[in-house]
Amino acid sequence: MTDELDDIDLLDDVDASTDAAGQLYEHLRMEVDRGQEPVRIDKYMAEHVQHSSRNRIQKAADAGFVQVNGQPVKSNYKVRPGDVITLMLDRPHYDTTIEPEDIPLDVVYEDAQLMVINKPAGMVVHPGVGNFHGTLVNAVAWHLRHLPTYDPNDPSVGLVHRIDKDTSGLLVVAKTPEAKTELGAQFFNHDTHRSYVALVWGNFSEDAGRIEGNIGRDPKDRQRMAVFPPGSETGKSAVTHYRVLERYGYTTLVECRLETGRTHQIRAHMKHIGHPLFADERYGGMEILRGERTASYKAYIQNCLKLCPRQALHARTLGFVHPVTRQQMDFTSELADDMQQLIDKWRKYINGKIEQSIVK
């Protein structure tokens, strides 16, 4: 599965100031294999616990949340064969069972194998920390509640890829294991066609370009991704192609095509080249990065942010080969209303500037 969303692990809110003084709840238990060589517990857990980093495990251990055979250990403890490792946190374990919820869906296409959905901005695609209800997955479970072969808690069906909560646009859901396997392979091999429309800060000197750089967790902010040199051991390789659609002086409308599907790929890549997405709070796009210092311009930007108070990013096109018929399937969605209004406002702004210069 490709990830383009906030993928925060259960240790993300553990920091150095946290301690295990109160009641603890078991969140994870594992037994060390008999043939295991002695190795630091932080390294061992980082290799065996999905979606968790060694740094976070170290903080959890130093705070007293990591236990071996019922006793807290530090991160330099070396595991031994037969050790029982438990992760004990200061909050109850939340039941992550996906329940159907009657939430409207904009279904663009559906057949016996798959669904293509146009997701609105503001909807989380999958339950996680802070968002256990009201997600796209809950809505799909309701939509398919009468399909006996679809189990929303079975990882062999469901989402094939993801987009961020505040990104609108297209994604595909597999209704059968065979469809998910086939579609997943297409995403993994970069055989799909996907394009996004984004409004970014600044003007480009060129009409098109290519961004390449590994994407991984920002060591200074776990809620954000950072770009590292291509080929480095940090992060995963990522390539984004962009093309200018319209220029508005202080902002630019661009089309982005993905070769890869990394978490926050477009948002991180655009930030990296000095063009954060407009209204992208996590990557600095809520600040006035280009333009005038006048009160009227500041008021104009504030009105723009009220129109579209989320990153101006829309997954516009999606193309793949149907897993059964082998036909090419291509879909296009209209921009979400808030983003369309934002673009119209910038278009009107730059046209007004041009008219003023002509009059002068």
Side-chain angles (χ1 to χ4, degrees):
M1 177 184 290
T2 60
D3 291 327
E4 299 170 30
L5 83 167
D6 305 329
D7 188 13
I8 309 305
D9 65 63
L10 76 169
L11 296 177
D12 267 349
D13 56 357
V14 173
D15 56 41
S17 63
T18 313
D19 61 58
Q23 183 178 359
L24 298 180
Y25 304 86
E26 182 178 312
H27 280 249
L28 179 129
R29 174 181 290 263
M30 64 175 71
E31 183 173 346
V32 179
D33 295 336
R34 292 183 178 180
Q36 175 67 47
E37 296 291 331
V39 62
R40 284 176 57 116
I41 194 167
D42 55 348
K43 181 179 180 181
Y44 180 86
M45 290 183 68
E47 293 174 349
H48 290 80
V49 180
Q50 191 176 16
H51 303 312
S52 199
S53 71
R54 188 169 179 178
N55 179 258
R56 286 284 163 175
I57 292 169
Q58 289 172 350
K59 288 183 178 181
D62 293 342
F65 292 126
V66 176
Q67 297 184 3
V68 174
N69 303 324
Q71 297 298 320
V73 297
K74 296 300 182 182
S75 56
N76 62 355
Y77 173 86
K78 291 190 176 182
V79 300
R80 298 175 176 82
D83 276 350
V84 177
I85 302 171
T86 52
L87 177 64
M88 309 292 292
L89 297 181
D90 55 355
R91 56 188 182 274
H93 181 75
Y94 195 93
D95 183 4
T96 57
T97 302
I98 297 168
E99 299 292 343
E101 295 180 27
D102 188 4
I103 302 169
L105 280 177
D106 182 4
V107 179
V108 177
Y109 173 84
E110 182 175 8
D111 62 25
Q113 284 76 40
L114 58 89
M115 297 170 59
V116 176
I117 297 169
N118 190 27
K119 185 189 83 70
M123 175 182 275
V124 176
V125 298
H126 196 281
V129 177
N131 296 285
F132 292 106
H133 299 286
T135 73
L136 183 85
V137 167
N138 296 113
V140 170
W142 177 271
H143 183 82
L144 300 178
R145 65 191 184 281
H146 299 308
L147 184 64
T149 57
Y150 186 85
D151 179 0
N153 293 287
D154 182 355
S156 69
V157 295
L159 292 172
V160 180
H161 64 122
R162 305 178 180 184
I163 57 178
D164 294 337
K165 171 187 176 182
D166 289 326
T167 298
S168 54
L170 298 171
L171 46 72
V172 61
V173 174
K175 297 166 70 173
T176 69
E178 295 76 16
K180 186 167 184 179
T181 298
E182 170 59 29
L183 291 169
Q186 292 184 44
F187 276 88
F188 181 81
N189 295 323
H190 315 314
D191 293 330
T192 58
H193 307 285
R194 287 179 290 166
S195 72
Y196 291 70
V197 174
L199 182 70
V200 304
W201 279 104
N203 203 352
F204 289 83
S205 58
E206 65 284 338
D207 290 329
R210 180 179 186 272
I211 310 169
E212 181 175 3
N214 285 17
I215 291 181
R217 291 285 178 191
D218 188 333
K220 298 179 180 178
D221 184 353
R222 286 279 297 174
Q223 303 288 322
R224 189 171 60 190
M225 307 305 286
V227 179
F228 302 91
S232 69
E233 295 183 357
T234 305
K236 297 179 180 179
S237 62
V239 176
T240 303
H241 300 269
Y242 66 88
R243 178 173 66 91
V244 172
L245 299 176
E246 289 186 59
R247 300 175 187 270
Y248 309 123
Y250 305 131
T251 59
T252 306
L253 189 68
V254 295
E255 177 190 66
C256 297
R257 292 189 174 273
L258 302 180
E259 278 191 26
T260 52
R262 307 305 183 199
T263 304
H264 297 183
Q265 178 170 323
I266 293 173
R267 299 165 68 187
H269 268 172
M270 284 296 167
K271 166 74 172 180
H272 180 66
I273 65 171
H275 296 283
L277 270 62
F278 189 85
D280 190 345
E281 184 174 12
R282 185 163 292 171
Y283 291 88
M286 292 289 283
E287 300 177 14
I288 301 177
L289 301 179
R290 301 287 192 280
E292 305 164 10
R293 296 185 178 180
T294 63
S296 60
Y297 181 73
K298 291 180 180 178
Y300 166 77
I301 294 299
Q302 291 305 313
N303 288 333
C304 287
L305 293 173
K306 289 179 182 178
L307 273 180
C308 186
R310 51 99 177 183
Q311 69 256 14
L313 183 62
H314 178 76
R316 183 170 66 173
T317 69
L318 175 62
F320 52 85
V321 175
H322 193 280
V324 174
T325 67
R326 310 310 300 171
Q327 291 182 331
Q328 178 65 35
M329 309 287 287
D330 293 295
F331 303 92
T332 302
S333 66
E334 298 295 325
L335 290 176
D337 288 343
D338 60 348
M339 192 167 164
Q340 185 61 61
Q341 291 179 39
L342 175 65
I343 292 169
D344 291 342
K345 193 171 183 67
W346 273 103
R347 191 177 289 140
K348 183 178 180 181
Y349 175 85
I350 193 62
N351 288 339
K353 285 286 186 182
I354 294 173
E355 290 175 2
Q356 288 178 12
S357 64
I358 292 174
V359 171
K360 291 180 180 180

